[in-house]
Amino acid sequence: MQRSFIVLLLLGLVRATLQNFTVDDTSPDIQYSEQTFQCNTTTCPDEALKGVFNSSVTLTNGSITFVYAGSAVHVFLDVIGACSINVDGIEIGGLNVTLAEAIAKEGSLPDIVAGPNVANGHHTLVIAPLTNRTIIAFDHLIYTATLGGATKSTNVGAIVGGVIGGIVLTVGALFAALYARRRKLILRRNQRKSAVLRGITAPRPDYKVGADDGAGLPT
Ligand SMILES: *[C@@H]1O[C@H](CO)[C@@H](O)[C@H](O)[C@H]1NC(C)=O
Ligand SMILES: *[C@@H]1O[C@H](CO)[C@@H](O)[C@H](O)[C@H]1NC(C)=O
Ligand SMILES: *[C@@H]1O[C@H](CO)[C@@H](O)[C@H](O)[C@H]1NC(C)=O
């Protein structure tokens, strides 16, 4: 029982230390190997930017590299052709879309490829075209990082929240355990009492044993 309290408390803490960071296609942290075309409110029709993060998408026929410290990564992109998405050289996903398919699913950019929970650490994400006629439309990505130096102040609140949440859960579980124990004690006492009374008062069927309401038991 006590061990599960600790696990609950730790779960609250672990969740609180994870944080998502969004990186837009225009970020200097994103490296493009080839020429790019930036599709934004001045270069593209509004139709093309529906549902797009920060109203910009970068088109390229080269690869896209992003180095980060964290764990899971979610890539929001669309493609005409085929591309693979790799973390540290291991493929975590990919897309293969024909021009006809891309036209048919009008306005549904971006697609989402969710990375698995990569172990926390330094990673290199590479989005690579698989044919030389592939066009990648990169919108943004979200990566998950554990508590970092740059965002301490915002995380303190989350940790405090996590700890308080953990304490509430613990106290709740403690009360539930005490209540169950109390009920068991009452039940056992009633059984004992009625067993004794059965022995003594068997010939007097009019005698009624009163139910114990648990008053006077230790809480
Ligand atoms: C991070 O973002 C992804 C994708 O939107 C989401 O599934 C995940 O729950 C988020 N994690 C945190 C810790 O906010
Ligand atoms: C949105 O785009 C503008 C202009 O490209 C950029 O300066 C800004 O940092 C972007 N916002 C986010 C949240 O990435
Ligand atoms: C993409 O899918 C088509 C069939 O839909 C297949 O012929 C082609 O080989 C695939 N391309 C890659 C690079 O996987």
Side-chain angles (χ1 to χ4, degrees), residues 49-65:
L49 296 171
K50 242 182 235 160
V52 161
F53 175 74
N54 204 16
S55 298
S56 74
V57 169
T58 297
L59 306 181
T60 182
N61 54 12
S63 62
I64 301 166
T65 304

Side-chain angles (χ1 to χ4, degrees), residues 9-18:
L9 194 64
L10 285 180
L11 268 180
L13 278 173
V14 168
R15 202 172 1 204
T17 55
L18 290 176

Side-chain angles (χ1 to χ4, degrees), residues 8 20-21:
L8 283 175
N20 269 348
F21 291 94

Side-chain angles (χ1 to χ4, degrees), residues 23 202 209:
V23 182
V209 179

Side-chain angles (χ1 to χ4, degrees), residues 8-16 155-169:
L8 283 175
L9 194 64
L10 285 180
L11 268 180
L13 278 173
V14 168
R15 202 172 1 204
N155 276 320
V156 169
I159 290 174
V160 170
V163 169
I164 289 173
I167 289 169
V168 168
L169 278 177

Side-chain angles (χ1 to χ4, degrees), residues 21 31 42 48 63 80 114 116 138 143 151 156-158 164 167 169 174-175 177-178 192 201 215:
F21 291 94
Q31 297 153 39
T42 53
S63 62
I80 296 173
F138 175 61
Y143 70 95
T151 52
V156 169
I164 289 173
I167 289 169
L169 278 177
L174 202 64
F175 271 110
L178 278 176
R192 229 183 0 245
T201 64

